Amino acid sequence: MSRVGGNIVIGTFWILVAIWMFMSGGAENQASAAILVILGFMFYWSAYKIYQNPNLAKKNKKNLVQQMTDPNYKNTLKSKKKK
């Protein structure tokens, strides 16, 4: 649930930045504000999806070097896709 809350906080931050940019005026600021609103809603959407399916919040703990040097990496990748 912490990832859900984190995404909500980040989404709210970007929405507030977009409101501030929109209020400051200028055509460039308004176009950028529209993009930031979309970014904020994407964070809200990801929070909603993680809330629905908590398995989406789990990460693969191996970094890229560990994955590439693991001799069973391709086998584990195929078995994960089958599930």
Side-chain angles (χ1 to χ4, degrees):
M1 284 305 202
S2 67
R3 292 185 58 91
V4 172
N7 282 345
I8 290 173
V9 168
I10 293 171
T12 303
F13 170 75
W14 286 119
I15 298 267
L16 291 175
V17 169
I19 291 170
W20 174 75
M21 286 181 72
F22 183 77
M23 294 300 203
S24 66
E28 302 88 19
N29 285 348
Q30 291 179 356
S32 299
I35 293 170
L36 290 179
V37 167
I38 293 170
L39 179 66
F41 281 118
M42 287 174 63
F43 276 102
Y44 284 142
W45 183 253
S46 67
Y48 172 69
K49 285 299 192 178
I50 291 173
Y51 179 74
Q52 276 187 331
N53 185 4
N55 290 332
L56 294 175
K58 295 181 181 173
K59 291 183 177 179
N60 187 0
K61 299 294 182 187
K62 291 185 177 182
N63 64 23
L64 184 60
V65 174
Q66 289 172 337
Q67 289 177 356
M68 298 305 286
T69 57
D70 184 13
N72 294 324
Y73 174 67
K74 291 183 180 179
N75 294 337
T76 58
L77 188 64
K78 288 178 184 176
S79 66
K80 285 183 181 179
K81 285 183 180 179
K82 290 181 183 177
K83 293 181 181 178

